Amino acid sequence: MFGRRIREFYEQHVRALPLNDRLLLMQMISDDIEANSDDHSPGVAELEGLGAEMWVGIEAQDQVRGLREEWEQRL
């Protein structure tokens, strides 16, 4: 049905494009979807720093050491 038409379109028109053109097409489609989306989900870049306050005052090596000890106890 509709999915088959999309696959046929892709095989006939999109797949034949050079890689750079396909990447550009993907970006254009992505931008269009994002611009017309009512439900804005955060992208990876927007998640940067989320939860950072949880790690204030915690030394990374101490955290890793504690996790390794926990894993060893489970084995």
PDB file of all heavy atoms in Angstrom, residues 14-26:
ATOM      1  N   VAL A  14      15.586   8.029  -5.054  1.00  0.00           N
ATOM      2  CA  VAL A  14      16.505   8.462  -3.998  1.00  0.00           C
ATOM      3  C   VAL A  14      17.795   7.654  -4.013  1.00  0.00           C
ATOM      4  O   VAL A  14      18.887   8.217  -3.950  1.00  0.00           O
ATOM      5  CB  VAL A  14      15.831   8.393  -2.610  1.00  0.00           C
ATOM      6  CG1 VAL A  14      16.801   8.782  -1.510  1.00  0.00           C
ATOM      7  CG2 VAL A  14      14.594   9.278  -2.583  1.00  0.00           C
ATOM      8  N   ARG A  15      17.674   6.362  -4.080  1.00  0.00           N
ATOM      9  CA  ARG A  15      18.856   5.494  -4.009  1.00  0.00           C
ATOM     10  C   ARG A  15      19.867   5.802  -5.102  1.00  0.00           C
ATOM     11  O   ARG A  15      21.066   5.656  -4.914  1.00  0.00           O
ATOM     12  CB  ARG A  15      18.439   4.038  -4.075  1.00  0.00           C
ATOM     13  CG  ARG A  15      19.584   3.106  -3.782  1.00  0.00           C
ATOM     14  CD  ARG A  15      19.120   1.702  -3.710  1.00  0.00           C
ATOM     15  NE  ARG A  15      19.562   1.175  -2.422  1.00  0.00           N
ATOM     16  CZ  ARG A  15      19.287  -0.002  -1.977  1.00  0.00           C
ATOM     17  NH1 ARG A  15      18.518  -0.800  -2.678  1.00  0.00           N
ATOM     18  NH2 ARG A  15      19.738  -0.413  -0.835  1.00  0.00           N
ATOM     19  N   ALA A  16      19.403   6.277  -6.236  1.00  0.00           N
ATOM     20  CA  ALA A  16      20.296   6.572  -7.356  1.00  0.00           C
ATOM     21  C   ALA A  16      21.084   7.860  -7.153  1.00  0.00           C
ATOM     22  O   ALA A  16      22.060   8.106  -7.870  1.00  0.00           O
ATOM     23  CB  ALA A  16      19.482   6.665  -8.651  1.00  0.00           C
ATOM     24  N   LEU A  17      20.687   8.681  -6.195  1.00  0.00           N
ATOM     25  CA  LEU A  17      21.378   9.945  -5.957  1.00  0.00           C
ATOM     26  C   LEU A  17      22.754   9.701  -5.361  1.00  0.00           C
ATOM     27  O   LEU A  17      22.966   8.733  -4.634  1.00  0.00           O
ATOM     28  CB  LEU A  17      20.570  10.816  -4.986  1.00  0.00           C
ATOM     29  CG  LEU A  17      19.226  11.328  -5.460  1.00  0.00           C
ATOM     30  CD1 LEU A  17      18.480  11.988  -4.295  1.00  0.00           C
ATOM     31  CD2 LEU A  17      19.405  12.300  -6.606  1.00  0.00           C
ATOM     32  N   PRO A  18      23.692  10.605  -5.624  1.00  0.00           N
ATOM     33  CA  PRO A  18      24.994  10.514  -4.959  1.00  0.00           C
ATOM     34  C   PRO A  18      24.821  10.664  -3.444  1.00  0.00           C
ATOM     35  O   PRO A  18      23.856  11.266  -2.967  1.00  0.00           O
ATOM     36  CB  PRO A  18      25.777  11.706  -5.538  1.00  0.00           C
ATOM     37  CG  PRO A  18      25.051  12.100  -6.767  1.00  0.00           C
ATOM     38  CD  PRO A  18      23.630  11.709  -6.578  1.00  0.00           C
ATOM     39  N   LEU A  19      25.767  10.144  -2.695  1.00  0.00           N
ATOM     40  CA  LEU A  19      25.682  10.143  -1.238  1.00  0.00           C
ATOM     41  C   LEU A  19      25.449  11.538  -0.672  1.00  0.00           C
ATOM     42  O   LEU A  19      24.593  11.723   0.197  1.00  0.00           O
ATOM     43  CB  LEU A  19      26.954   9.538  -0.636  1.00  0.00           C
ATOM     44  CG  LEU A  19      27.026   9.523   0.882  1.00  0.00           C
ATOM     45  CD1 LEU A  19      25.889   8.709   1.475  1.00  0.00           C
ATOM     46  CD2 LEU A  19      28.358   8.991   1.345  1.00  0.00           C
ATOM     47  N   ASN A  20      26.179  12.527  -1.143  1.00  0.00           N
ATOM     48  CA  ASN A  20      26.016  13.885  -0.617  1.00  0.00           C
ATOM     49  C   ASN A  20      24.602  14.409  -0.836  1.00  0.00           C
ATOM     50  O   ASN A  20      24.053  15.102   0.018  1.00  0.00           O
ATOM     51  CB  ASN A  20      27.034  14.847  -1.239  1.00  0.00           C
ATOM     52  CG  ASN A  20      28.421  14.631  -0.687  1.00  0.00           C
ATOM     53  OD1 ASN A  20      28.598  14.058   0.380  1.00  0.00           O
ATOM     54  ND2 ASN A  20      29.413  15.078  -1.424  1.00  0.00           N
ATOM     55  N   ASP A  21      24.000  14.077  -1.964  1.00  0.00           N
ATOM     56  CA  ASP A  21      22.631  14.510  -2.228  1.00  0.00           C
ATOM     57  C   ASP A  21      21.642  13.794  -1.308  1.00  0.00           C
ATOM     58  O   ASP A  21      20.677  14.404  -0.843  1.00  0.00           O
ATOM     59  CB  ASP A  21      22.255  14.256  -3.685  1.00  0.00           C
ATOM     60  CG  ASP A  21      22.985  15.184  -4.651  1.00  0.00           C
ATOM     61  OD1 ASP A  21      23.592  16.165  -4.176  1.00  0.00           O
ATOM     62  OD2 ASP A  21      22.940  14.920  -5.864  1.00  0.00           O
ATOM     63  N   ARG A  22      21.886  12.530  -1.050  1.00  0.00           N
ATOM     64  CA  ARG A  22      21.004  11.798  -0.123  1.00  0.00           C
ATOM     65  C   ARG A  22      21.119  12.354   1.285  1.00  0.00           C
ATOM     66  O   ARG A  22      20.117  12.485   1.992  1.00  0.00           O
ATOM     67  CB  ARG A  22      21.327  10.298  -0.139  1.00  0.00           C
ATOM     68  CG  ARG A  22      20.822   9.627  -1.403  1.00  0.00           C
ATOM     69  CD  ARG A  22      20.991   8.140  -1.344  1.00  0.00           C
ATOM     70  NE  ARG A  22      22.390   7.815  -1.594  1.00  0.00           N
ATOM     71  CZ  ARG A  22      22.969   6.673  -1.271  1.00  0.00           C
ATOM     72  NH1 ARG A  22      22.298   5.736  -0.655  1.00  0.00           N
ATOM     73  NH2 ARG A  22      24.232   6.462  -1.558  1.00  0.00           N
ATOM     74  N   LEU A  23      22.348  12.701   1.698  1.00  0.00           N
ATOM     75  CA  LEU A  23      22.526  13.299   3.025  1.00  0.00           C
ATOM     76  C   LEU A  23      21.820  14.646   3.111  1.00  0.00           C
ATOM     77  O   LEU A  23      21.187  14.963   4.126  1.00  0.00           O
ATOM     78  CB  LEU A  23      24.012  13.451   3.343  1.00  0.00           C
ATOM     79  CG  LEU A  23      24.763  12.142   3.577  1.00  0.00           C
ATOM     80  CD1 LEU A  23      26.266  12.404   3.646  1.00  0.00           C
ATOM     81  CD2 LEU A  23      24.271  11.453   4.819  1.00  0.00           C
ATOM     82  N   LEU A  24      21.913  15.443   2.059  1.00  0.00           N
ATOM     83  CA  LEU A  24      21.229  16.725   2.021  1.00  0.00           C
ATOM     84  C   LEU A  24      19.718  16.521   2.094  1.00  0.00           C
ATOM     85  O   LEU A  24      19.015  17.226   2.830  1.00  0.00           O
ATOM     86  CB  LEU A  24      21.598  17.495   0.754  1.00  0.00           C
ATOM     87  CG  LEU A  24      20.892  18.832   0.545  1.00  0.00           C
ATOM     88  CD1 LEU A  24      21.180  19.787   1.697  1.00  0.00           C
ATOM     89  CD2 LEU A  24      21.313  19.431  -0.787  1.00  0.00           C
ATOM     90  N   LEU A  25      19.218  15.553   1.373  1.00  0.00           N
ATOM     91  CA  LEU A  25      17.788  15.244   1.396  1.00  0.00           C
ATOM     92  C   LEU A  25      17.342  14.829   2.793  1.00  0.00           C
ATOM     93  O   LEU A  25      16.300  15.271   3.291  1.00  0.00           O
ATOM     94  CB  LEU A  25      17.468  14.152   0.372  1.00  0.00           C
ATOM     95  CG  LEU A  25      16.011  13.710   0.284  1.00  0.00           C
ATOM     96  CD1 LEU A  25      15.113  14.875  -0.107  1.00  0.00           C
ATOM     97  CD2 LEU A  25      15.875  12.564  -0.720  1.00  0.00           C
ATOM     98  N   MET A  26      18.146  14.000   3.450  1.00  0.00           N
ATOM     99  CA  MET A  26      17.823  13.593   4.822  1.00  0.00           C
ATOM    100  C   MET A  26      17.761  14.799   5.744  1.00  0.00           C
ATOM    101  O   MET A  26      16.859  14.915   6.574  1.00  0.00           O
ATOM    102  CB  MET A  26      18.859  12.599   5.349  1.00  0.00           C
ATOM    103  CG  MET A  26      18.670  11.201   4.859  1.00  0.00           C
ATOM    104  SD  MET A  26      19.877  10.002   5.484  1.00  0.00           S
ATOM    105  CE  MET A  26      20.384  10.608   7.037  1.00  0.00           C
TER     106      MET A  26
END
